[in-house]
Amino acid sequence: MITISEAKKILDDSLPEPVREDISLSEAAGRVLYTDLHALEPSPRYTNSAMDGFAVRWADIEPASRGIACQLALLGESQAGIPFDGTVGTGQAVRISTGAKLPDGADAVVPIEECTASGNELNIEIAHKPKQNIRFEGEEFTPDTRLIHKNVVLNPVHIALLASQGIRTVPVYRPARVAIIVTGTELVPYDAQPKPWQIRDSNGIMLTEAVLAGNGAIATLQRVGDDYEDTVRAAQTAAEQADIVIFSGGVSVGPHDLVKKAAAECGFERLFWRVRQRPGKPLFVAQKDSKLLFGLPGNPVSAYMCFLFYVTPVLRYLAGHGKDIRKVSGVMNTELVNKLTRAQMYRVMMRDGENGIREVIPIARQGSHMLTSVSDANGFILLEVGQALKKGDKVEVIPFS
Ligand code: AMP
Ligand code: MG
């Protein structure tokens, strides 16, 4: 049986290449950019007014900056979307709105609040500096300026920036397409009534949500009993339609655990089976070309913890998020000893204690069949064989989200 770090290393060496796709801007939020993106147009697109007011020539209003009032003749208007079709000459002014194109001849804007207009006459008593209240074409950036770095997760403002440039499709990482196959003759859909010897399939919906939360996409979800032919058929369909195949259950040592054999029949080669860990000892991972197959143990806790620790990082990597696993540090609020011969993914609850210290409280019941050991927790620690933590020890926690 291999260790957790050996399993991780094998998986890391077998990762497929991330794939690019070009998608429409309206679907790109939350996706990771594949290449740098550059400006196509200057920003602002044209020189315009930063205020509602009057476009003037600085030479005409400069005396107002020294306390000498000046009078100008109003010529017309430049509205946002309807530019003034003429030139502002000496002694002249044009009414202008915020964002409206600055008329030819003008080189300053006087805000409404700093002048008085009566009829066609404008009286200006205050002026500050040349070029005041003007946004110049290209002052933010010019064409070819890099706007967004590759590997950035696109947020609403990135999307707006690209929209302002008329960029309608963006190159992003394509999320891995995942096929889930839930095995077990004892299972019924969670919305059906089980007979006394049956249970509801809770892994199917759990893994579906976990795929989406881990930045993957669902290709298919199938449910099969513990039947060899059905399992082979399901694996074949999954391998045709997805980049990653995930089995729930059927990877242990019982006579009805058929996934390993079915995977081999479909051409998947074993990367490893069984890891010195709890939960999730029977974890099975295989590969066929660039496709990975994960056989997660059926116990819901094992399935989830193996998914979180082994599958989520692969999905995140393929979606462009890199390989780092987020960890936070905290302080044990009690002692904790690993007396098993396997490393443990020990579920814990982190809570903000006094003085801003994050307290780490182990969840008492850690059974692989007890989903509350996960639902009551908000992270887990990797506890090596023989490791003994004392109250007050600093530990690294892998948060659930
Ligand atoms: P297996 O790995 O197939 O031997 O299953 C281990 C345990 O997990 C058994 O008690 C199963 O009944 C349970 N189990 C397997 N699949 C599911 C599932 N989809 N939802 C809930 N429990 C399951
Ligand atoms: Mg089973």
Side-chain angles (χ1 to χ4, degrees):
M1 218 185 320
I2 60 174
T3 63
I4 287 180
S5 46
E6 285 164 343
K8 279 280 192 182
K9 169 88 171 62
I10 295 170
L11 192 52
D12 205 41
D13 291 343
S14 314
L15 287 179
E17 277 298 307
V19 176
R20 163 191 168 150
E21 66 179 345
D22 295 311
I23 62 168
S24 105
L25 186 64
S26 61
E27 289 165 3
R31 294 292 206 93
V32 181
L33 206 54
Y34 196 94
T35 55
D36 291 349
L37 287 183
H38 297 86
L40 304 176
E41 297 182 355
S43 174
R45 296 189 71 225
Y46 49 85
T47 299
N48 67 81
S49 176
M51 305 288 274
D52 289 323
F54 298 90
V56 299
R57 299 168 79 101
W58 171 254
D60 288 345
I61 65 163
E62 184 275 335
S65 69
R66 293 179 277 117
I68 303 166
C70 13
Q71 279 77 43
L72 300 176
L74 264 181
L75 260 191
E77 183 174 13
S78 177
Q79 245 176 286
I82 310 175
F84 177 72
D85 178 23
T87 302
V88 177
T90 301
Q92 295 178 325
V94 159
R95 190 180 292 278
I96 195 164
S97 331
T98 306
K101 191 169 184 302
L102 192 73
D104 289 344
D107 58 4
V109 168
V110 179
I112 273 179
E113 298 84 351
E114 295 183 0
C115 56
T116 48
S118 69
N120 277 348
E121 202 167 280
L122 188 66
N123 191 54
I124 297 164
E125 289 174 7
I126 309 169
H128 303 277
K129 55 179 191 218
K131 301 179 181 175
Q132 66 180 34
N133 302 314
I134 292 176
R135 304 159 169 171
F136 286 95
E137 175 181 323
E139 74 174 17
E140 184 185 10
F141 54 78
T142 50
D144 296 330
T145 306
R146 181 169 53 200
L147 290 184
I148 313 179
H149 281 262
K150 66 177 176 182
N151 296 331
V152 161
V153 183
L154 294 171
N155 68 23
V157 175
H158 296 126
I159 303 290
L161 185 58
L162 298 175
S164 75
Q165 290 285 301
I167 295 174
R168 282 173 278 180
T169 56
V170 281
V172 291
Y173 288 87
R174 190 186 75 191
R177 294 161 306 186
V178 181
I180 299 172
I181 306 166
V182 176
T183 73
T185 302
E186 75 278 33
L187 302 171
V188 298
Y190 72 87
D191 52 358
Q193 182 58 44
K195 302 211 166 64
W197 54 88
Q198 294 179 320
I199 58 168
R200 297 182 184 89
D201 162 30
S202 55
N203 286 355
I205 195 166
M206 174 179 76
L207 294 172
T208 300
E209 296 301 334
V211 165
L212 299 176
N215 301 95
I218 297 292
T220 55
L221 170 60
Q222 306 174 76
R223 194 178 292 108
V224 292
D226 297 310
D227 174 272
Y228 185 65
E229 302 301 327
D230 288 350
T231 308
V232 170
R233 254 196 306 276
Q236 259 155 1
T237 309
E240 278 160 23
Q241 301 190 351
D243 310 304
I244 292 190
V245 179
I246 295 179
F247 271 99
S248 154
V251 285
S252 200
V253 291
H256 304 290
D257 291 328
L258 307 166
V259 170
K260 297 186 294 298
K261 198 168 160 223
E265 174 139 357
C266 295
F268 281 91
E269 279 178 30
R270 176 181 301 187
L271 291 178
F272 59 83
W273 176 47
R274 306 216 292 175
V275 182
R276 204 178 289 283
Q277 64 185 7
R278 183 182 140 173
K281 182 170 86 171
L283 176 65
F284 169 69
V285 180
Q287 188 168 39
K288 179 184 181 183
D289 306 322
S290 65
K291 295 180 197 274
L292 285 171
L293 181 151
F294 292 86
L296 309 178
N299 266 316
V301 174
S302 313
Y304 188 70
M305 296 306 294
C306 285
F307 186 95
L308 203 65
F309 195 51
Y310 292 95
V311 185
T312 297
V314 174
L315 298 184
R316 286 183 56 78
Y317 169 69
L318 292 176
H321 291 275
K323 286 186 177 172
D324 291 346
I325 293 184
R326 196 166 83 87
K327 290 184 181 152
V328 297
S329 54
V331 172
M332 293 298 296
N333 92 327
T334 178
E335 61 167 27
L336 185 62
V337 181
N338 185 2
K339 294 178 183 153
L340 306 183
T341 54
R342 289 182 269 157
Q344 296 194 62
M345 297 186 223
Y346 214 97
R347 278 80 72 205
V348 298
M349 170 56 118
M350 292 175 281
R351 150 178 108 186
D352 289 334
E354 283 164 24
N355 311 325
I357 290 170
R358 191 183 284 120
E359 276 186 83
V360 178
I361 306 144
I363 302 293
R365 296 202 294 181
Q366 296 276 320
S368 293
H369 56 301
M370 298 175 176
L371 265 183
T372 50
S373 74
V374 185
S375 64
D376 286 347
N378 54 12
F380 69 97
I381 53 183
L382 269 185
L383 206 56
E384 298 301 336
V385 176
Q387 193 175 352
L389 293 169
K390 295 187 298 297
K391 180 175 174 167
D393 278 357
K394 197 175 155 209
V395 282
E396 300 264 271
V397 181
I398 302 176
F400 285 156
S401 58

